[in-house]
């Protein structure tokens, strides 16, 4: 349903889900009220698969509700793109977020400080097609630890996941997402040493899914802001108190990346230094793995699970915006990032530093990939994630299904 609506932006004003009433609200404009369009909508199954992305177990019936919209998605997307130009230059870093909101039939403009001059400018340029509100700037969710002295390394190798054969080295007691078996799975923590602006840091992030690439080469995903291409990542974690990196081996080297300049936030690691490759499952606890399904589109109102290696699985998320552009704070540098989706934590936190690159997926099993953890608010209640549909196209790769 959401894919059909997205493919007809001139006829629809968007759509959003209401989980409490199991209603899919579709905003119609112009040609969408035609009998042909109405029939196309009614022919599409409205089930819980709209939110659980084709879950194996059938859920309750969903009700379709159509409403008239003033503006089409095409009009609002054009307005959003115009916000990225002259208004963005005028607002500078005070502009935090902007996106088309189907619930208000406007483009939402978030400002760190709502200044009368900018409100007046938005009204003059866009009229009632925009809504201006205060919204704090979000920050990237990698974990950077500054180090002044030498760092020790402790190599620990658990059993092979598929054969049970123990390799040489000091064995980790039980494979976890901190010290994992090979082949490595989604949700693992990764660690690297990086020199940033002349300062040495230990950087920790999370990987998301085993990817299928156009070349057939194995790859594992993480966030683009975690580090540059050519950087090698270990699977493991940093013990700050002992200034020691505990690791099981090399996860891989970053070889392709999208980050900023109006693009999304994703990166793929190859298997350089990792002869055992990657595993098409994701960690959902410290030790438990679950299967991965096919990629699913993201809808406003949808429930989601975020799964960083610090927060672990958190299924408190509710999508509040899709196809978002933001000026994200990357450790003091403001970066324009687009093709993000936003979720709010309803009853719990979603993200913290170190979760960057982790998987975002549907609840239920198998978990259908939705995106990659990118940024969020300091309190962890708001999550920004790179939309997997956009990532697939940009990287010419997609998460491998477990089945």
């Amino acid at each position: 349903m959401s894919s059909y609506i997205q493919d007809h932006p001139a006829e629809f004003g968007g759509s959003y889900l209401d989980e409490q009433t199991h209603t899919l609200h579709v905003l119609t404009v112009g040609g969408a009220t035609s009998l042909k369009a109405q029939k196309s909508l009614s022919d599409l199954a409205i089930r819980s698969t709209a939110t659980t992305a084709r879950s194996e177990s059938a859920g309750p019936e969903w009700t379709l509700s159509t409403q008239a919209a003033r503006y089409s998605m095409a009009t609002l997307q054009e307005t959003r793109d115009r916000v990225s130009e002259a208004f963005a230059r005028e607002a500078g870093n005070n502009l935090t977020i902007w996106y088309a909101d189907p619930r208000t039939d406007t483009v939402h403009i978030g400002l760190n400080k709502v200044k009368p001059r900018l409100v007046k400018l938005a009204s003059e340029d866009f009229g009632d097609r925009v809504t201006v509100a205060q919204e704090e700037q979000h920050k990237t969710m990698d974990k950077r630890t500054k180090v002044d002295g030498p760092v020790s390394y402790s190599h620990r190798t658990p059993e092979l996941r598929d054969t049970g054969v123990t390799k040489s080295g000091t064995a980790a007691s039980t494979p976890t997402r901190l010290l994992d078996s090979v082949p490595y799975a989604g949700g693992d923590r990764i660690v690297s040493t990086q020199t940033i602006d002349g300062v040495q840091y230990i950087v920790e992030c999370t990987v998301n899914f085993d990817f299928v690439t156009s070349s057939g080469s194995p790859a594992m995903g993480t966030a683009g802001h975690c580090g540059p291409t050519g950087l090698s990542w270990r699977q493991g974690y940093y013990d700050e108190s002992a200034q020691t990196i505990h690791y099981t081996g090399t996860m891989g080297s970053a070889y392709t990346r999208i980050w900023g300049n109006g693009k999304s936030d994703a990166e793929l690691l190859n298997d350089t230094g990792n002869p055992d490759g990657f595993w098409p499952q994701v960690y959902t606890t410290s030790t438990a793995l679950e299967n991965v399904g096919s990629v699913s589109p993201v809808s406003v109102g949808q429930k989601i699970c975020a799964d960083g290696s610090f927060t672990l699985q958190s299924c408190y998320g509710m999508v509040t915006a899709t196809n978002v552009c933001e000026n994200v704070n990357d450790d003091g540098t403001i970066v324009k990032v687009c093709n993000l989706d936003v979720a709010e934590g309803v009853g719990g936190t979603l993200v913290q530093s170190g979760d960057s690159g982790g998987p975002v997926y549907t609840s239920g099993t198998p978990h259908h990939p939705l995106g990659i953890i990118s940024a969020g608010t300091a309190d962890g209640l708001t999550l920004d994630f790179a939309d997997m549909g956009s990532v697939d196209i940009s990287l010419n790769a997609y998460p491998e299904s477990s089945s």
Side-chain angles (χ1 to χ4, degrees):
M1 175 66 75
S2 61
S3 297
Y4 177 85
I5 294 169
Q6 292 295 326
D7 289 341
H8 297 79
E11 298 179 356
F12 294 95
S15 64
Y16 61 95
L17 302 169
D18 186 332
E19 290 273 1
Q20 290 187 332
T21 63
H22 288 92
T23 302
L24 171 60
H25 297 273
V26 177
L27 284 71
T28 61
V29 181
T33 57
S34 67
L35 291 176
K36 181 179 179 181
Q38 292 285 6
K39 185 177 185 302
S40 296
L41 289 177
S42 62
D43 286 347
L44 295 172
I46 311 298
R47 283 189 168 272
S48 62
T49 50
T51 54
T52 59
R54 301 175 302 282
S55 171
E56 291 180 346
S57 58
E61 294 284 347
W62 281 74
T63 300
L64 173 64
S65 173
T66 57
Q67 305 160 229
R70 294 171 299 167
Y71 301 114
S72 67
M73 286 191 299
T75 296
L76 293 180
Q77 288 165 0
E78 179 185 11
T79 302
R80 186 205 64 175
D81 292 342
R82 287 179 56 201
V83 171
S84 298
E85 299 168 355
F87 184 86
R89 289 193 296 271
E90 187 68 24
N93 292 340
N94 193 30
L95 175 63
T96 58
I97 187 169
W98 59 107
Y99 58 89
D101 186 352
R103 296 166 301 181
T104 62
D105 196 21
T106 63
V107 171
H108 175 93
I109 298 177
L111 299 174
N112 199 38
K113 294 182 179 179
V114 178
K115 299 180 178 180
R117 174 179 60 85
L118 294 177
V119 174
K120 182 174 182 292
L121 178 62
S123 178
E124 291 173 346
D125 287 353
F126 310 116
D128 64 356
R129 297 192 305 279
V130 299
T131 301
V132 180
Q134 192 280 329
E135 190 155 352
E136 69 177 282
Q137 200 156 54
H138 300 176
K139 68 184 188 74
T140 51
M141 286 295 163
D142 55 332
K143 184 175 182 180
R144 298 183 185 182
T145 305
K146 182 180 177 181
V147 290
D148 298 318
V151 175
S152 299
Y153 294 84
S154 173
H155 184 201
R156 303 170 65 189
T157 308
E159 294 181 346
L160 292 169
R161 189 185 310 282
D162 53 349
T163 65
V165 177
T166 301
K167 300 198 297 182
S168 61
T170 303
S173 55
T174 301
T176 71
R177 63 167 77 208
L178 297 187
L179 294 171
D180 197 16
S181 297
V182 289
Y184 293 130
D188 274 349
R189 188 171 302 173
I190 54 175
V191 59
S192 68
T193 56
Q194 299 183 36
T195 301
I196 304 170
D197 297 329
V199 179
Q200 186 180 17
Y201 292 91
I202 303 297
V203 180
E204 294 175 277
C205 283
T206 305
V207 294
N208 48 74
F209 302 102
D210 172 25
F211 272 74
V212 176
T213 64
S214 58
S215 65
S217 300
M220 176 63 78
T222 189
H225 72 263
C226 285
T229 56
L231 179 68
S232 180
W233 289 88
R234 287 182 168 91
Q235 193 289 305
Y237 68 97
Y238 179 56
D239 180 351
E240 185 175 0
S241 63
Q243 288 191 282
T244 299
I245 291 176
H246 300 274
Y247 72 102
T248 61
T250 299
M251 175 67 71
S253 294
Y255 75 94
T256 184
R257 180 195 194 204
I258 49 174
W259 167 235
N261 294 317
K263 298 179 181 179
S264 191
D265 184 11
E267 186 169 73
L268 291 182
L269 313 182
N270 59 28
D271 61 350
T272 300
N274 174 9
D276 297 296
F278 310 113
W279 188 252
Q281 289 185 309
V282 293
Y283 275 98
T284 55
T285 68
S286 294
T287 58
L289 291 164
E290 293 286 355
N291 287 337
V292 174
S294 56
V295 174
S296 177
V298 181
S299 299
V300 172
Q302 180 177 1
K303 292 180 179 179
I304 61 96
C305 298
D307 194 6
S309 64
F310 281 80
T311 304
L312 305 183
Q313 186 191 67
S314 174
C315 293
Y316 296 110
M318 181 77 73
V319 176
T320 55
T322 60
N323 199 15
V324 168
C325 285
E326 292 191 50
N327 284 327
V328 175
N329 185 341
D330 182 29
D331 200 39
T333 300
I334 305 303
V335 181
K336 179 186 175 183
V337 188
C338 292
N339 303 121
L340 298 176
D341 301 321
V342 180
E344 300 289 340
V346 182
T349 59
L350 296 174
V351 66
Q352 63 182 294
S353 295
D355 289 341
S356 280
V360 179
Y361 46 71
T362 59
S363 58
T365 54
H367 295 306
H368 294 272
L370 298 173
I372 299 170
I373 294 173
S374 174
T377 51
D379 61 10
L381 294 175
T382 301
L383 163 71
D384 309 301
F385 59 98
D387 187 270
M388 189 57 75
S390 172
V391 169
D392 288 357
I393 295 171
S394 298
L395 296 180
N396 199 19
Y398 59 90
E400 181 178 1
S401 174
S402 301
S403 57

